[in-house]
Amino acid sequence: MRLSRYFLPVLKENPAEAQIVSHRYMLRAGMIKQQAAGIYSWLPLGYRVLKRIEQIVHEEQIRAGHIPLLMPTLQPADLWRESGRYDDYGQEMLRIKDRHERDMLYGPTNEEMITDIFRAHVSSYKDLPLTLYHIQWKFRDEVRPRFGVMRGREFLMKDGYNFDVDRDAALHAYNRHMVSYLRTYERMGLTAIPMRAASGPIGGDNTHEFLVLANTGESEVFYDDRVTGLKLGQREIDYDDRAQVAGVCEEFTTLYARTDETHDGALFDQIPEEHRKVGRGIEVGQIFYFGTKYSESMGATVVTKDGSKVPVEMGSHGIGVSRLLGAIIEASHDDKGIIWPEGVTPFPVGLVNLKQGDAAADAACADLEKALLARGLEPLYDDRDERAGAKFATMDLIGLPWRITVGPRGLTNGVVELTSRRTGQSEEMTPEAAVARIAEIYAAHP
Ligand code: ATP
Ligand code: MG
């Protein structure tokens, strides 16, 4: 993509309405535009990151054996009357009437609808286990939408629902979600810690929230700091292997890590003092096992092997897809701008031409662009007729992890400069070597 033809409305000034760094940088980097409180347009650069995050979520869900579908944003109120939540949900639910005066709502979540789909088509244990999920816009009329996409009213969520014949199978589904979430966040360059949570209006006993440590986070967290060193890494997971999956969950949930809702001072005090930490965190996901809460009220049953009819065991599992952009920026930035982890960056590399109009520099940039594209690494090429300082400032603000700088002086020696956004370190090399290096880096971040 050439910057001269792109739509990247960067702001020079700090927007007054942004209280936290991620919101500030998302506005300044031209990623989002607010249309109403908590409702945003996703401008091209923000949209690219959002799509990238969505793609990682899809890949890891599919790897875990979960099946994508798509449910609508608007739902009939009657489904929610069956579960009793139409009255319970309160003011956060946006209620709408259609032209026939039928009660509708903009879905804040989808337990009822997925249960309705299930009961219409599944009736035997032979069709289980089954986990269906979608990535769809939600609406919650939050009292205080704030911090940009972090607490929106309209926001993108991945929500998945497991259906199992008994409690053991449902707990395996819960564990599968935990492991797939760990891998999802790691691919985004995040450390998200599963913390035991209190069950909210969805109900259920087994639930963990995933928190990214950040001092702007809304939750107070108490943890043993050795938990931040745990990594899933590249290990092979067989998602059908109950013992292996449960083992990983145990590894990640044994050290103390809780939010203020479930904090236990006596247990916390048993952590060696040098590891005892209190901080703040951003909730980027939550998993729930709630058993038969919806299947009982909505009549979703299956016939078991021995012929008896039982309500299906369920759980629901969410990832805050749009909130993740904010969380990643909170975790990865400096005073010049965003620093995207390779896994989610909108463009793998920026290309800066120091002297637009210089025949050798223009030709070298065009060649680099072509060579990168041929390897599936689309660069953002700043081909504008601007000062080098302005080009660098834009690149630093939008946070591409790598930059190739091309200038007439280097070219006389046959070299360009490759710079890491994270460390600021530069290295001179031939254009071919720069392309090969970029390709090598991204091969490690599929
Ligand atoms: P919170 O406690 O932050 O209000 P929640 O527990 O009500 O969130 P869930 O129902 O667990 O939210 O939704 C799954 C995920 O969706 C959350 O972990 C969070 O990452 C994201 N999410 C929830 N509400 C919002 C919102 N208003 N804006 C952006 N993301 C949200
Ligand atoms: Mg939650």
Short mmCIF file of all heavy atoms in Angstrom, two decimals, residues 353-389:
data_model
loop_
_atom_site.label_atom_id
_atom_site.label_comp_id
_atom_site.label_asym_id
_atom_site.label_seq_id
_atom_site.Cartn_x
_atom_site.Cartn_y
_atom_site.Cartn_z
N ASN A 353 10.96 6.24 1.95
CA ASN A 353 11.81 6.78 0.91
C ASN A 353 12.26 8.17 1.37
O ASN A 353 11.45 9.08 1.51
CB ASN A 353 11.02 6.87 -0.40
CG ASN A 353 11.89 7.28 -1.57
OD1 ASN A 353 12.98 7.83 -1.40
ND2 ASN A 353 11.40 7.03 -2.79
N LEU A 354 13.57 8.32 1.63
CA LEU A 354 14.08 9.58 2.17
C LEU A 354 14.09 10.69 1.12
O LEU A 354 14.12 11.86 1.45
CB LEU A 354 15.51 9.40 2.69
CG LEU A 354 15.63 8.56 3.96
CD1 LEU A 354 17.11 8.41 4.33
CD2 LEU A 354 14.85 9.18 5.10
N LYS A 355 14.11 10.32 -0.16
CA LYS A 355 14.14 11.36 -1.19
C LYS A 355 13.23 10.99 -2.35
O LYS A 355 13.69 10.47 -3.37
CB LYS A 355 15.59 11.58 -1.66
CG LYS A 355 15.72 12.89 -2.38
CD LYS A 355 17.14 13.42 -2.33
CE LYS A 355 17.17 14.83 -2.89
NZ LYS A 355 18.46 15.19 -3.44
N GLN A 356 11.95 11.27 -2.12
CA GLN A 356 10.98 10.99 -3.18
C GLN A 356 11.34 11.81 -4.41
O GLN A 356 11.65 12.99 -4.29
CB GLN A 356 9.58 11.36 -2.67
CG GLN A 356 8.48 10.58 -3.33
CD GLN A 356 8.52 9.10 -2.94
OE1 GLN A 356 8.74 8.78 -1.79
NE2 GLN A 356 8.35 8.23 -3.90
N GLY A 357 11.31 11.19 -5.57
CA GLY A 357 11.66 11.92 -6.79
C GLY A 357 13.09 11.65 -7.23
O GLY A 357 13.45 11.89 -8.39
N ASP A 358 13.89 11.12 -6.34
CA ASP A 358 15.26 10.71 -6.73
C ASP A 358 15.12 9.36 -7.46
O ASP A 358 14.55 8.41 -6.90
CB ASP A 358 16.11 10.55 -5.46
CG ASP A 358 17.49 10.00 -5.77
OD1 ASP A 358 18.40 10.82 -6.02
OD2 ASP A 358 17.64 8.75 -5.77
N ALA A 359 15.64 9.33 -8.69
CA ALA A 359 15.37 8.15 -9.53
C ALA A 359 15.83 6.86 -8.88
O ALA A 359 15.10 5.85 -8.86
CB ALA A 359 16.04 8.32 -10.90
N ALA A 360 17.04 6.86 -8.30
CA ALA A 360 17.56 5.62 -7.70
C ALA A 360 16.75 5.22 -6.48
O ALA A 360 16.40 4.04 -6.30
CB ALA A 360 19.03 5.82 -7.32
N ALA A 361 16.40 6.18 -5.62
CA ALA A 361 15.63 5.88 -4.41
C ALA A 361 14.23 5.37 -4.77
O ALA A 361 13.74 4.38 -4.21
CB ALA A 361 15.54 7.11 -3.50
N ASP A 362 13.59 6.04 -5.73
CA ASP A 362 12.24 5.61 -6.14
C ASP A 362 12.28 4.18 -6.70
O ASP A 362 11.43 3.35 -6.37
CB ASP A 362 11.68 6.55 -7.22
CG ASP A 362 11.33 7.93 -6.66
OD1 ASP A 362 11.57 8.16 -5.46
OD2 ASP A 362 10.85 8.78 -7.44
N ALA A 363 13.29 3.90 -7.52
CA ALA A 363 13.37 2.58 -8.13
C ALA A 363 13.66 1.51 -7.08
O ALA A 363 13.06 0.42 -7.08
CB ALA A 363 14.46 2.56 -9.21
N ALA A 364 14.54 1.82 -6.14
CA ALA A 364 14.87 0.84 -5.10
C ALA A 364 13.62 0.55 -4.25
O ALA A 364 13.36 -0.61 -3.89
CB ALA A 364 16.00 1.37 -4.22
N CYS A 365 12.85 1.59 -3.93
CA CYS A 365 11.63 1.38 -3.13
C CYS A 365 10.62 0.53 -3.90
O CYS A 365 10.00 -0.37 -3.33
CB CYS A 365 11.00 2.72 -2.75
SG CYS A 365 11.91 3.53 -1.42
N ALA A 366 10.46 0.84 -5.18
CA ALA A 366 9.51 0.06 -5.99
C ALA A 366 9.94 -1.41 -6.03
O ALA A 366 9.11 -2.31 -5.93
CB ALA A 366 9.41 0.65 -7.39
N ASP A 367 11.24 -1.65 -6.16
CA ASP A 367 11.73 -3.03 -6.18
C ASP A 367 11.49 -3.73 -4.84
O ASP A 367 11.09 -4.89 -4.79
CB ASP A 367 13.24 -3.06 -6.48
CG ASP A 367 13.54 -2.76 -7.95
OD1 ASP A 367 12.56 -2.73 -8.75
OD2 ASP A 367 14.72 -2.53 -8.28
N LEU A 368 11.77 -3.00 -3.76
CA LEU A 368 11.55 -3.58 -2.43
C LEU A 368 10.06 -3.91 -2.23
O LEU A 368 9.71 -4.97 -1.71
CB LEU A 368 11.99 -2.59 -1.34
CG LEU A 368 13.45 -2.65 -0.95
CD1 LEU A 368 13.86 -1.39 -0.20
CD2 LEU A 368 13.72 -3.88 -0.08
N GLU A 369 9.23 -2.98 -2.64
CA GLU A 369 7.78 -3.19 -2.51
C GLU A 369 7.37 -4.48 -3.23
O GLU A 369 6.65 -5.31 -2.68
CB GLU A 369 7.05 -1.98 -3.09
CG GLU A 369 5.55 -2.01 -2.88
CD GLU A 369 4.86 -0.82 -3.55
OE1 GLU A 369 5.33 -0.38 -4.64
OE2 GLU A 369 3.88 -0.33 -2.99
N LYS A 370 7.88 -4.64 -4.44
CA LYS A 370 7.55 -5.80 -5.26
C LYS A 370 8.06 -7.09 -4.60
O LYS A 370 7.34 -8.09 -4.52
CB LYS A 370 8.22 -5.64 -6.62
CG LYS A 370 7.40 -6.13 -7.78
CD LYS A 370 8.05 -5.57 -9.00
CE LYS A 370 7.70 -6.11 -10.31
NZ LYS A 370 8.61 -5.54 -11.33
N ALA A 371 9.30 -7.04 -4.13
CA ALA A 371 9.90 -8.24 -3.54
C ALA A 371 9.16 -8.64 -2.26
O ALA A 371 8.94 -9.83 -2.00
CB ALA A 371 11.38 -7.99 -3.23
N LEU A 372 8.76 -7.65 -1.46
CA LEU A 372 8.02 -7.96 -0.23
C LEU A 372 6.64 -8.52 -0.56
O LEU A 372 6.21 -9.52 0.02
CB LEU A 372 7.90 -6.70 0.64
CG LEU A 372 9.20 -6.26 1.34
CD1 LEU A 372 9.13 -4.80 1.78
CD2 LEU A 372 9.49 -7.17 2.54
N LEU A 373 5.98 -7.88 -1.52
CA LEU A 373 4.65 -8.36 -1.92
C LEU A 373 4.71 -9.80 -2.42
O LEU A 373 3.83 -10.61 -2.11
CB LEU A 373 4.06 -7.47 -3.01
CG LEU A 373 3.37 -6.19 -2.54
CD1 LEU A 373 3.04 -5.29 -3.73
CD2 LEU A 373 2.11 -6.52 -1.75
N ALA A 374 5.78 -10.11 -3.16
CA ALA A 374 5.93 -11.47 -3.70
C ALA A 374 6.02 -12.50 -2.58
O ALA A 374 5.70 -13.66 -2.76
CB ALA A 374 7.16 -11.54 -4.60
N ARG A 375 6.44 -12.06 -1.40
CA ARG A 375 6.53 -12.98 -0.26
C ARG A 375 5.32 -12.87 0.65
O ARG A 375 5.33 -13.35 1.79
CB ARG A 375 7.78 -12.69 0.55
CG ARG A 375 9.04 -12.92 -0.27
CD ARG A 375 10.18 -13.05 0.67
NE ARG A 375 11.44 -13.17 -0.03
CZ ARG A 375 12.40 -13.96 0.40
NH1 ARG A 375 12.23 -14.70 1.48
NH2 ARG A 375 13.55 -14.01 -0.23
N GLY A 376 4.30 -12.17 0.19
CA GLY A 376 3.08 -12.03 0.99
C GLY A 376 3.25 -11.06 2.14
O GLY A 376 2.51 -11.13 3.13
N LEU A 377 4.21 -10.16 2.04
CA LEU A 377 4.47 -9.20 3.13
C LEU A 377 4.22 -7.79 2.61
O LEU A 377 5.13 -7.10 2.16
CB LEU A 377 5.93 -9.34 3.58
CG LEU A 377 6.31 -10.70 4.16
CD1 LEU A 377 7.83 -10.88 4.16
CD2 LEU A 377 5.75 -10.87 5.56
N GLU A 378 2.97 -7.38 2.67
CA GLU A 378 2.62 -6.09 2.09
C GLU A 378 3.19 -4.93 2.90
O GLU A 378 2.80 -4.73 4.06
CB GLU A 378 1.09 -5.94 1.99
CG GLU A 378 0.72 -4.66 1.28
CD GLU A 378 -0.78 -4.39 1.25
OE1 GLU A 378 -1.55 -5.18 1.83
OE2 GLU A 378 -1.16 -3.38 0.65
N PRO A 379 4.09 -4.14 2.31
CA PRO A 379 4.63 -3.01 3.07
C PRO A 379 3.70 -1.80 2.99
O PRO A 379 2.91 -1.69 2.05
CB PRO A 379 5.93 -2.70 2.34
CG PRO A 379 5.66 -3.09 0.92
CD PRO A 379 4.68 -4.23 0.96
N LEU A 380 3.80 -0.91 3.97
CA LEU A 380 3.18 0.40 3.84
C LEU A 380 4.30 1.33 3.39
O LEU A 380 5.25 1.61 4.15
CB LEU A 380 2.59 0.87 5.17
CG LEU A 380 1.90 2.24 5.10
CD1 LEU A 380 0.68 2.19 4.18
CD2 LEU A 380 1.48 2.71 6.49
N TYR A 381 4.21 1.76 2.16
CA TYR A 381 5.29 2.53 1.53
C TYR A 381 4.96 4.02 1.63
O TYR A 381 3.99 4.47 1.03
CB TYR A 381 5.43 2.05 0.08
CG TYR A 381 6.36 2.86 -0.80
CD1 TYR A 381 7.32 3.73 -0.28
CD2 TYR A 381 6.27 2.74 -2.20
CE1 TYR A 381 8.16 4.47 -1.11
CE2 TYR A 381 7.10 3.47 -3.04
CZ TYR A 381 8.04 4.34 -2.48
OH TYR A 381 8.86 5.07 -3.31
N ASP A 382 5.76 4.74 2.41
CA ASP A 382 5.56 6.19 2.52
C ASP A 382 6.25 6.86 1.33
O ASP A 382 7.44 7.15 1.35
CB ASP A 382 6.09 6.73 3.85
CG ASP A 382 5.63 8.17 4.08
OD1 ASP A 382 5.19 8.81 3.10
OD2 ASP A 382 5.70 8.64 5.23
N ASP A 383 5.44 7.08 0.29
CA ASP A 383 5.95 7.66 -0.96
C ASP A 383 5.57 9.13 -1.07
O ASP A 383 5.58 9.70 -2.16
CB ASP A 383 5.39 6.88 -2.15
CG ASP A 383 3.86 6.95 -2.22
OD1 ASP A 383 3.23 7.23 -1.16
OD2 ASP A 383 3.29 6.74 -3.30
N ARG A 384 5.19 9.73 0.07
CA ARG A 384 4.79 11.14 0.01
C ARG A 384 6.03 12.03 -0.10
O ARG A 384 7.13 11.65 0.29
CB ARG A 384 4.01 11.52 1.27
CG ARG A 384 2.70 10.75 1.45
CD ARG A 384 2.14 10.99 2.83
NE ARG A 384 3.16 10.70 3.86
CZ ARG A 384 3.08 11.13 5.11
NH1 ARG A 384 2.09 11.87 5.51
NH2 ARG A 384 4.04 10.82 5.98
N ASP A 385 5.80 13.22 -0.61
CA ASP A 385 6.89 14.18 -0.75
C ASP A 385 6.96 14.97 0.57
O ASP A 385 6.48 16.08 0.67
CB ASP A 385 6.58 15.11 -1.93
CG ASP A 385 7.78 15.97 -2.27
OD1 ASP A 385 8.87 15.68 -1.75
OD2 ASP A 385 7.60 16.93 -3.04
N GLU A 386 7.53 14.33 1.58
CA GLU A 386 7.56 14.90 2.94
C GLU A 386 8.98 14.83 3.46
O GLU A 386 9.80 14.05 2.98
CB GLU A 386 6.69 14.05 3.88
CG GLU A 386 5.21 14.22 3.72
CD GLU A 386 4.65 15.32 4.59
OE1 GLU A 386 5.45 15.99 5.29
OE2 GLU A 386 3.42 15.53 4.56
N ARG A 387 9.25 15.61 4.51
CA ARG A 387 10.56 15.55 5.16
C ARG A 387 10.73 14.17 5.81
O ARG A 387 9.74 13.55 6.25
CB ARG A 387 10.66 16.59 6.27
CG ARG A 387 10.76 18.03 5.81
CD ARG A 387 10.79 18.95 7.03
NE ARG A 387 9.59 18.77 7.87
CZ ARG A 387 9.59 18.19 9.07
NH1 ARG A 387 10.71 17.75 9.60
NH2 ARG A 387 8.47 18.06 9.75
N ALA A 388 11.99 13.74 5.93
CA ALA A 388 12.27 12.45 6.56
C ALA A 388 11.71 12.42 7.99
O ALA A 388 11.10 11.43 8.41
CB ALA A 388 13.76 12.18 6.59
N GLY A 389 11.88 13.53 8.72
CA GLY A 389 11.42 13.57 10.11
C GLY A 389 9.92 13.31 10.23
O GLY A 389 9.48 12.56 11.11
#
